[in-house]
Each structure stands twice: as structure tokens, then as C-alpha cells.
Amino acid sequence: MDDIVRQAMAKWPNVPACYGWLGLDTRGNWYMRDDRVQSLGPFVGGPPAAKGSLLLHEKLIDFIHRNYLADDQGRWFFQNGPQRVYIELAATPWIWRVQADFSLQSHTGLPTQCTACHTDEQGWLYLETPLGFGLVHTQDVGVAAQAVDAGLWRVQPLLRADLPGRYGYVTSPAQQHVLLPKQ
């Protein structure tokens, strides 16, 4: 986490969290979702316009990557100064890029290695790593298949619906927030 973010958190400790405004797609792209976009429907399963606007500003994306964390309830967020911006996940909290030598890099640029490999009923490929659980980027499935064919990764089946509970993450903190009783 950036020092400037830590300082802002200390200076303003009671800033309310933000829900639904940021989404992570299955390719590791970030989408900004303002009130109008959110009113169109959910990030996943809604009409295409509900996805929001693709973020392209490299410095903003780098800032998000450096301040991307999870809370103890499995909700992933971007710590934007004193405010937590909870993230809508299209699939998993991590999107893996597989390199030609079968090394892995997260969508945030962190290196890691595969400890287990899985596919779901739709054929999506997931990896467990020391960083956590994530989906293999669609452009890298061919390289990942080479790792499987070489016997480096042994594929085990799992059900997509079981993933958030099994790996401890929340795909829609916004929906969860709406369902929680107000205090």
C-alpha cells in the first residue's frame, strides 16, 4: 500500500466505503461504474452498458494495483486514500498471465507460481498460487495447456458455483452490502 494512502487513512479514519463503482473483468481490466451505469444492472449478468467505462489511464491503473487488497470477509477493494472502493469481480480476485516459461504474473504485475490447477464445468481454467486463487487469462490458455501437457500442472475439476465459498472471496460486495441489515 502506498504511504500516501496510509497517511490519508490515519488523517480521515471514518470515510464510508464505496460499493459498485469499480469492476474487474475476466481479462484483468478495470471498469469505472458511476451511478447511471450501476442503475442499468449488475456488473456481471447485466446488459453490456452496465459494465461501465474501461479504465485506460496507466497511472491510475498502477495506483489501483498497488492498493488492491482483501478484507477479512473476502471482499476485494482498492484503498483510494481514506476510502475503500469495493470491487465487483466478474470471476475471481486474480487474473493470471502465463508466460512462455510457465511462470505466472497477476493482473497487478505480481509474480507467483502454480500450486494447483482446476477447470470448471464450462472449461474455464483456474490456478491456485501463494497469492491466491484466480482465472487464467483467455489469451494464455494455450500456453497453460502446454504446461498441462508437459505434466507440470495436473487439472482437477471443480464447480464454478463453489469457487467463492471454497476460496473465500465475494464476487459482488455491492449486492452483499444491499442485503445486509442496516445498523
Side-chain angles (χ1 to χ4, degrees):
M1 183 182 298
D2 289 356
D3 284 336
I4 194 165
V5 171
R6 283 190 191 93
Q7 292 168 12
M9 291 169 62
K11 188 172 182 179
W12 298 289
N14 297 316
V15 174
C18 180
Y19 294 86
W21 281 74
L22 190 61
L24 178 68
D25 76 1
T26 59
R27 291 181 152 221
N29 295 312
W30 297 103
Y31 285 83
M32 185 64 67
R33 305 180 70 241
D34 62 18
D35 282 332
R36 183 192 60 75
V37 169
Q38 289 181 54
S39 73
L40 298 174
F43 183 64
V44 176
K51 197 168 185 179
S53 301
L54 177 64
L55 291 182
L56 299 172
H57 192 281
E58 289 182 29
K59 289 186 180 188
L60 174 58
I61 293 167
D62 289 343
F63 183 62
I64 293 169
H65 288 173
R66 290 192 311 273
N67 298 286
Y68 180 61
L69 306 159
D71 67 14
D72 58 359
Q73 296 175 41
R75 300 176 301 178
W76 286 80
F77 62 91
F78 153 53
Q79 189 69 45
N80 184 22
Q83 185 173 52
R84 280 191 178 180
V85 178
Y86 283 100
I87 297 167
E88 299 294 291
L89 302 173
T92 60
W94 296 104
I95 306 300
W96 307 124
R97 298 306 313 252
V98 183
Q99 309 305 308
D101 64 357
F102 309 127
S103 63
L104 301 175
Q105 188 173 29
S106 73
H107 68 279
T108 64
L110 297 173
T112 193
Q113 54 280 141
C114 177
T115 58
C117 181
H118 303 279
T119 57
D120 68 14
E121 64 276 15
Q122 299 297 315
W124 288 25
L125 187 64
Y126 305 88
L127 302 176
E128 292 180 43
T129 78
L131 287 178
F133 182 78
L135 177 68
V136 172
H137 191 289
T138 55
Q139 290 180 325
D140 299 340
V141 171
V143 177
Q146 293 173 15
V148 171
D149 289 345
L152 300 173
W153 301 345
R154 191 175 136 247
V155 180
Q156 302 167 8
L158 46 66
L159 296 175
R160 186 178 298 178
D162 295 342
L163 299 180
R166 181 175 178 174
Y167 293 101
Y169 63 90
V170 175
T171 56
S172 180
Q175 183 179 28
Q176 183 187 53
H177 180 70
V178 169
L179 299 175
L180 292 176
K182 304 294 182 219
Q183 297 183 3

